[in-house]
Amino acid sequence: MEKTISISGCVLILTVYIARLFYMADPFHIFPLLTAVWLGVCWWHRPLRPTPIDICLVALWAYGMLAPTVNPIGSMAATSRLTASVLIYFTARTIFALYGAAGRRMLAVLTAGIVMMTAAALFQFGMFADKVYAVDFESLYEFRFLYTPFGQPVNVWNALMWLWGGIAVATYAECRSRRVRLMALVAGCMVWTMIVLSFSRGGYIAAAICLPAMLVLLLRTTTKRHAVIIMSCYALLTAGLYLKYKSDIDTAISMNSTTSQQRSTSGRISTIKQARDIVKENPWGTGAGTYTLAKDYYMHGNGRSDSHTSYAPNIFTQVSVEGGWPGMVIYITFIVCIMIWTVRSGRHNMWAVFIPMAGYFVKEQTFPTFFVSDITRISALILLAYIQKDSGQAKPGPTARIAAGIPAVAWAGIIYAGMACKSNGCQEISKSRMDSRTIFDRAVQSDDMPALQRLASDYPDILVYRWTIYERYRKDGQPEKAAHELAAAVLRHPRILETDYWNKLKQDDDEFSRKVSREVIHTITCTQPEDAIECAKYGRAAMLLGEPGTAYRYLEQAVTRLPTFSRPWAWLSVMHSHRNEENTARLYLRRYTLLEHGMFADIDNGTPPEPQRDIESLTDAGYKIKCMEWYGTLPAKRNQ
């Protein structure tokens, strides 16, 4: 019976792990159900002794469930994912603490999988490098966003590598088989290779902190000969990688030398400052899974970007915004309990596993993934379960029997949240006070022009706000104000000039369209933007308004400052083709195809982007992405 329980638990963890790694959907929540049943059966017979870490994790989960939220649907979805991960954590805790042999076999299987996955990822890295070099780019660092092993963004992949390194270390420490230990060493080398080749600034900072600690531990726990062999292997591997990719590694180590690095650093600093205002106004937090919603609401003016990211600048910022002061206190207590538990264990094995976990925690200070990525969260929780493997079994009794039913209650909560999300969908959009679209809808209904103007000023990247003002002025017979608003919209969103609406406007009201064109061209020729994205927009607008010289100058500046920006390469390709410079045109088109469509695109048969014909889809384009993330549904169509 016990063997069946232990094996089934390991199979369940491994199945869920593979499903999360490959983004396999579980719409009917079968995995949490199986996990809850397994825990209920196991704890009924052999209850688990709780630890301070368990209590803190449950407190963090419970606060996420019960805390106030500005977006109930988003918070329910986030806490449902966290609940499923916590169930897996307690499954791993039970296996490591009560079924040690099964835990060792599970670690060995995970390590074998790590070897295969990293081998495939290394092969994919070779394909990525070949594609980047094929279009005559000299650096891989700027284009590492194209490298997404198994669909994981490169920064998430780097964080996962630290956790996989911890699993490899745990396997080496627990298993006595020479073959398994050799496999763990190979896994460690491949994981380290991936950490280096991710060219992550946060990953390199974590390495600078954790590698010396690992070397000291190695010298204190193994023979000098063994330590020298391991250290020599890693030193030679690192030296070889550095010689091969010297410029890219140097760029990452420089921390702030490229335009993309500077944009990233300034963006992180501004969002950290912004978080203080959010916490000041929301001391209890905005709710689980609401960081991007709160950030979008509080970020105003020129600080806003057309791009959208689901990640906070660091884990403390995310926890403080979503959980407020109570959430921050619980999270810090959680981290402190982990450190105290490791110190009190006094075992070198635990220290060896804790060091890669510490590397992951350092990485979280530059790119937090714990509350966003299921696979990194589950990996971290498995390692957390491992370092508590000596916690032991609790005494059977009424309290233990009650605890056996808690996983089933948690699963029922997941089912409820899933049903609520599915039934409410887009109706919940208006219920979030931190969605600027809520203010917009009220302003439109009450015809509040000052409110619309504030929205257009505060959120210049959301086209529909300024477009609505333009339509009101146009309808009210105020052509001067309407032309000014449309010109401002074109400067921020030059694709308006590609639409059927603009073409029809030129036919129906040539004088008005000329007025708009003159204002746009005057702004373009009289200003010199420093931002690469603004240069690209000015260049595209000039190109569409028949100013090829100005357009080429701006587009060249854009790709020089930010070569990862895809569309300027396509527009430059078109301009070189008009000049009969076919070789340059073909090269730039191949660059566009690679950057726009990814490393698996057929770069030799790419075509320039199709013009944006529909004005309505353009006005709502940016909001659709956010709406899907916040509410899990597309926004309702706007009333004209």
Side-chain angles (χ1 to χ4, degrees):
M1 177 68 175
E2 297 226 341
K3 186 175 182 180
T4 302
I5 290 176
S6 63
I7 292 175
S8 60
C10 292
V11 170
L12 182 57
I13 290 175
L14 294 171
T15 303
V16 172
Y17 199 87
I18 293 171
R20 293 296 171 259
L21 178 62
F22 291 101
Y23 294 103
M24 294 171 61
D26 183 19
F28 301 106
H29 309 290
I30 301 300
F31 291 142
L33 171 62
L34 295 176
T35 310
V37 171
W38 188 92
L39 286 171
V41 171
C42 186
W43 288 358
W44 186 268
H45 297 285
R46 297 186 66 183
L48 186 69
R49 186 191 303 277
T51 67
I53 297 175
D54 295 339
I55 295 170
C56 287
L57 181 60
V58 170
L60 195 64
W61 164 78
Y63 187 75
M65 291 284 290
L66 302 175
T69 176
V70 298
N71 181 19
I73 291 299
S75 292
M76 281 192 284
T79 51
S80 294
R81 293 192 297 270
L82 181 59
T83 303
S85 299
V86 170
L87 290 173
I88 289 295
Y89 162 78
F90 279 109
T91 304
R93 275 275 289 118
T94 304
I95 289 172
F96 285 127
L98 306 182
Y99 307 99
R104 287 190 289 273
R105 287 193 293 270
M106 184 177 70
L107 286 173
V109 173
L110 282 172
T111 303
I114 288 170
V115 171
M116 291 187 287
M117 294 298 101
T118 49
L122 282 170
F123 177 76
Q124 187 176 338
F125 181 85
M127 294 175 60
F128 153 71
D130 289 343
K131 280 291 183 75
V132 173
Y133 293 142
V135 294
D136 289 351
F137 285 131
E138 297 179 356
S139 169
L140 297 178
Y141 177 85
E142 292 282 1
F143 309 98
R144 61 199 184 96
F145 68 92
L146 295 170
Y147 178 56
T148 55
F150 306 105
Q152 305 291 339
V154 67
N155 271 305
V156 175
W157 182 250
N158 181 274
L160 186 60
M161 290 302 99
W162 284 101
L163 299 170
W164 280 7
I167 292 173
V169 170
T171 302
Y172 185 87
E174 286 296 316
C175 300
R176 293 292 170 260
S177 168
R178 289 188 176 181
R179 290 183 179 179
V180 175
R181 282 192 150 194
L182 179 61
M183 181 177 65
L185 288 174
V186 171
C189 288
M190 298 182 77
V191 163
W192 174 245
T193 300
M194 296 309 312
I195 289 174
V196 174
L197 294 182
S198 64
F199 309 125
S200 167
R201 294 180 292 172
Y204 288 0
I205 293 171
I209 294 172
C210 296
L211 277 184
M214 185 63 82
L215 293 177
V216 170
L217 183 65
L218 191 63
L219 290 171
R220 293 187 61 180
T221 57
T222 63
T223 63
K224 184 177 289 187
R225 178 174 174 273
H226 194 191
V228 168
I229 291 173
I230 294 177
M231 290 164 57
S232 298
C233 289
Y234 277 88
L236 288 172
L237 176 61
T238 306
L241 292 171
Y242 180 74
L243 291 174
K244 175 70 173 176
Y245 302 103
K246 182 179 182 300
S247 63
D248 300 300
I249 294 174
D250 286 343
T251 301
I253 293 174
S254 69
M255 296 295 167
N256 209 42
S257 61
T258 68
T259 300
S260 61
Q261 288 176 330
Q262 293 162 6
R263 287 173 59 87
S264 174
T265 301
S266 63
R268 292 170 191 272
I269 293 172
S270 63
T271 50
I272 290 172
K273 292 179 179 177
Q274 180 194 58
R276 293 183 299 187
D277 298 330
I278 300 175
V279 175
K280 186 176 180 180
E281 295 185 20
N282 303 272
W284 295 95
T286 59
T290 61
Y291 172 78
T292 56
L293 176 62
K295 183 193 77 170
D296 186 81
Y297 179 75
Y298 279 89
M299 183 69 77
H300 293 163
N302 294 329
R304 295 180 63 85
S305 171
D306 292 338
S307 59
H308 175 69
T309 178
S310 301
Y311 300 94
N314 60 66
I315 189 66
F316 287 112
T317 299
Q318 183 175 4
V319 172
S320 64
V321 169
E322 295 186 358
W325 291 112
M328 181 63 79
V329 169
I330 296 171
Y331 182 77
I332 292 174
T333 305
F334 177 55
I335 298 300
V336 170
C337 284
I338 296 172
M339 297 174 66
I340 292 175
W341 183 275
T342 305
V343 171
R344 285 187 173 179
S345 71
R347 295 183 56 184
H348 292 146
N349 289 358
M350 299 305 165
W351 275 106
V353 174
F354 177 76
I355 290 173
M357 290 180 66
Y360 169 71
F361 179 74
V362 172
K363 173 66 179 171
E364 287 285 277
Q365 307 317 307
T366 62
F367 196 91
T369 60
F370 185 82
F371 293 104
V372 179
S373 168
D374 289 340
I375 187 62
T376 55
R377 180 170 56 251
I378 292 174
S379 299
L381 292 176
I382 288 175
L383 286 179
L384 201 56
Y386 170 77
I387 67 172
Q388 302 171 85
K389 69 186 187 69
D390 297 327
S391 62
Q393 179 178 336
K395 293 181 180 181
T399 304
R401 297 291 170 87
I402 293 174
I406 294 177
V409 176
W411 176 79
I414 293 178
I415 293 297
Y416 171 76
M419 293 175 63
C421 291
K422 187 174 292 187
S423 63
N424 285 314
C426 61
Q427 287 104 326
E428 288 297 316
I429 292 178
S430 62
K431 295 184 180 179
S432 176
R433 63 180 175 83
M434 286 191 180
D435 188 344
S436 62
R437 185 61 71 98
T438 305
I439 306 172
F440 170 72
D441 291 338
R442 288 200 302 264
V444 170
Q445 291 171 5
S446 60
D447 200 19
D448 187 349
M449 185 60 77
L452 288 172
Q453 290 172 334
R454 285 193 299 271
L455 284 169
S457 176
D458 289 343
Y459 306 98
D461 56 306
I462 304 179
L463 174 58
V464 68
Y465 299 160
R466 190 170 296 279
W467 187 261
T468 302
I469 297 174
Y470 154 70
E471 288 182 325
R472 292 296 171 89
Y473 282 142
R474 183 107 167 122
K475 184 179 179 181
D476 293 343
Q478 302 183 61
E480 293 294 333
K481 291 183 177 180
H484 177 74
E485 294 296 335
L486 183 54
V490 167
L491 287 168
R492 183 81 187 202
H493 305 273
R495 296 177 71 187
I496 292 172
L497 301 175
E498 302 174 3
T499 62
D500 293 333
Y501 178 89
W502 175 255
N503 293 330
K504 189 173 186 301
L505 182 66
K506 288 194 296 183
Q507 293 175 1
D508 296 344
D509 196 341
D510 182 64
E511 182 182 353
F512 179 80
S513 64
R514 286 177 180 274
K515 186 180 297 183
V516 174
S517 300
R518 284 195 298 270
E519 184 169 345
V520 171
I521 293 172
H522 178 267
T523 303
I524 289 173
T525 54
C526 294
T527 57
Q528 180 56 53
E530 295 294 329
D531 183 69
I533 294 178
E534 197 171 356
C535 283
K537 291 178 178 181
Y538 280 19
R540 180 56 173 165
M543 182 178 177
L544 292 169
L545 291 175
E547 297 287 336
T550 303
Y552 189 85
R553 175 167 57 86
Y554 275 126
L555 294 173
E556 275 285 323
Q557 290 176 11
V559 297
T560 300
R561 296 174 185 176
L562 195 63
T564 56
F565 200 10
S566 61
R567 298 217 166 193
W569 291 112
W571 302 328
L572 285 169
S573 172
V574 171
M575 298 184 78
H576 280 285
S577 181
H578 290 163
R579 298 176 181 181
N580 294 321
E581 298 171 350
E582 293 301 329
N583 289 336
T584 303
R586 191 177 303 111
L587 172 63
Y588 285 4
L589 183 59
R590 294 173 81 227
R591 289 180 175 181
Y592 158 76
T593 305
L594 173 64
L595 297 175
E596 183 77 6
H597 301 292
M599 59 174 287
F600 295 108
D602 183 3
I603 61 175
D604 292 320
N605 292 296
T607 57
E610 291 292 326
Q612 176 69 52
R613 297 297 187 188
D614 182 23
I615 188 64
E616 185 175 352
S617 62
L618 180 60
T619 56
D620 283 330
Y623 185 70
K624 285 181 180 179
I625 299 172
K626 297 172 184 177
C627 192
M628 282 298 299
E629 180 180 338
W630 298 340
Y631 310 108
T633 184
L634 290 172
K637 286 196 173 185
R638 182 169 63 98
N639 294 326
Q640 298 297 323

